[in-house]
Amino acid sequence: MFWKLLDDLNFVARCKRYKLGLWQCPNFLFLVMGFLTIVSMFGAYFASKNFDDETVTVVSVTTVAVVIITIGSFIIRGVEEIAEAGVMKNEFISIVSHQLCGPLAAIKWNAEILENDKFSERLTSKQAIFLRNIKEANDKVLKLVNQLLEVNRIDEGRVIFKNENVDLGEIIDQVILELKDLISEREIEIKKRISPDLPPVFVDPTGIKTVVRNLVNNAIKYSRQKGKVEIDLKLWGRQMLLTVKDWGIGIPRYQHRKVFEKFFRSANEARYRTDGIGLGLYLAKAIVENLGGKLWFESEVGKGSTFYVSLPTTQKKSLT
Ligand code: ADP
């Protein structure tokens, strides 16, 4: 708490992080404005007490007001520059991701030809390993680029959710099947508990699958080798409640409020160097909220994390 307050007050470090000069930095300017407001109050008090001439008071108060308004306009400019930088960053990410898609797809396509065609017979075992490495590395980058594009689409409201009755239990099974290689590589025990006779949920099947995949994938990724992941599905009042629980590395409490931010990766995680760029939960939350549900979590370092998704079971019109 104390360190956080100190960090909030350390405006020089903040301005450096925003890459803004001191006189462009809203935090610093706000401090100056606060100081001037206090000085102006004392000044006005002093002027009205010591000078009978009202003009002196009016001129001093007006001068201070002009200075405060000028600083206010600098603050607005600083905030605008930060906002513009955010917009430019998003545009940059979008352009680069689009440009990368073509070449990456070409690499994937050519590697697949080499792997499947008659060429593969002519490859030495070492060449076959190199080819597999190229394909795996390319798939990883392609996955990241697709995630960036998906985030961009959702941010711009270009994703159309086509809701229909979905059996969530089936989606969970499909996700577990998709992640079977990771599950066996990390030797994770998956425990699935699905209440009988659950009604379907009225959601977009692709969207909800992305949510379940991201949560289960994280639970596996951030578990220790030979760990356990529990997936529960049950009715919770009029809502469907999906719970994904692990006993892995957990997330430090002071970082909880940042978990659903774009590009967040916990300090704790840095020690384990897992793959990822911190977009999975941001995307999951955006999708769940678009589907009329809620996503939240509990986590403790060293003890594990539990992520909850609640979804309405009542039929709804398609959200666009
Ligand atoms: P990433 O691709 O980095 O996993 P996410 O958005 O899915 O991105 O998650 C953001 C960060 O939240 C992760 O980098 C990790 O630090 C933390 N996190 C998410 N899920 C878990 C979990 N089940 N256990 C521990 N930390 C987690």
Side-chain angles (χ1 to χ4, degrees), residues 6-62:
L6 215 64
D7 183 43
D8 283 347
L9 290 175
N10 188 358
F11 56 84
V12 177
R14 287 183 165 242
C15 300
K16 263 193 187 160
R17 203 165 74 209
Y18 300 148
K19 306 228 173 345
L20 289 172
L22 217 51
W23 290 100
Q24 289 174 307
C25 181
N27 304 52
F28 173 70
L29 291 171
F30 191 72
L31 213 73
V32 173
M33 199 165 85
F35 176 72
L36 277 179
T37 310
I38 294 168
V39 169
S40 71
M41 283 187 174
F42 278 113
Y45 171 73
F46 180 78
S48 60
K49 211 164 174 224
N50 292 290
F51 300 99
D52 287 339
D53 189 354
E54 288 170 355
T55 329
V56 176
T57 312
V58 170
V59 168
S60 61
V61 169
T62 312

Side-chain angles (χ1 to χ4, degrees), residues 147 214-215 217-223 246 248-251 259 261 263-270 274-283 299 304-307:
Q147 211 176 26
N214 289 353
L215 296 184
N217 189 34
N218 278 350
I220 298 168
K221 240 175 21 176
Y222 300 114
S223 280
D246 67 67
I249 62 173
I251 302 164
V259 162
E261 282 177 15
F263 303 115
F264 167 78
R265 305 213 74 204
S266 85
N268 186 31
E269 186 279 329
T274 49
D275 284 343
I277 49 170
L279 288 178
L281 288 179
Y282 173 81
L283 202 58
S299 185
S305 316
T306 309
F307 282 82

